[in-house]
Amino acid sequence: MVESSIIYLCNFGYLYAIDANTSNIIWRNQLEGMSLSNCQSLLSFGNMILVGMNGNIAAVDKQSGDTVWVTKLPNKIYFVSLGTVKNRYFASCWGYLYKFDTESGSILYNNNLKGMGYHTVSFR
């Protein structure tokens, strides 16, 4: 994800902020509980980057790289897709759709998408 002159990318449990002009790493965050997992999605929300990875959602401060919160999705593993619709934020993992609070990471509700399978969901 690119925002202004900063590239945010993640892989194998790390989130990086990289200066697009110099390629220098601004900060690196090893996201707790997300090691050895590929990043499925990133979203920008105010002063935070939202990360979906390894059955978790995390919010990371854009300036400092500090973790603000981490939420483990109930009984879920691997890929997490993130999406937004009209300022509402959603995560999908292993056949479930979750609406979550961006300030705290709390799950507000979920839907098991019965009969729709267990593959990765794509938000548009």
Side-chain angles (χ1 to χ4, degrees), residues 63-104:
Q63 296 299 313
S64 67
D66 294 334
T67 301
V68 178
W69 53 258
V70 176
T71 298
K72 176 75 175 158
L73 298 174
N75 303 313
K76 306 301 170 229
I77 56 172
Y78 303 118
F79 297 116
V80 177
S81 297
L82 299 176
T84 181
V85 178
K86 297 182 181 177
N87 293 323
R88 292 177 295 213
Y89 289 78
F90 299 90
S92 179
C93 184
W94 201 245
Y96 281 78
L97 178 68
Y98 301 91
K99 181 177 184 224
F100 64 95
D101 180 82
T102 51
E103 297 297 328
S104 67

Side-chain angles (χ1 to χ4, degrees), residues 40-43 50-53 56-58 80-84 90-92 100 121 123:
Q40 184 68 24
S41 55
L42 296 172
L43 283 178
L50 304 174
V51 182
M53 191 183 331
N56 296 276
I57 309 166
V80 177
S81 297
L82 299 176
T84 181
F90 299 90
S92 179
F100 64 95
V121 170
F123 290 94

Side-chain angles (χ1 to χ4, degrees), residues 3 9 13 20 25 27 30 35 45-46 62 70 73 78 81 88 96 98 104 114 122 124:
E3 194 170 90
L9 58 91
I25 295 174
W27 52 255
Q30 183 176 5
S35 63
F45 172 74
K62 289 179 186 176
V70 176
L73 298 174
Y78 303 118
S81 297
R88 292 177 295 213
Y96 281 78
Y98 301 91
S104 67
K114 188 174 182 173
S122 178
R124 291 197 173 246

Side-chain angles (χ1 to χ4, degrees), residues 21-40:
N21 298 313
T22 66
S23 299
N24 292 330
I25 295 174
I26 299 167
W27 52 255
R28 176 181 80 165
N29 181 326
Q30 183 176 5
L31 298 163
E32 184 178 330
M34 299 189 199
S35 63
L36 301 178
S37 179
N38 292 323
C39 182
Q40 184 68 24

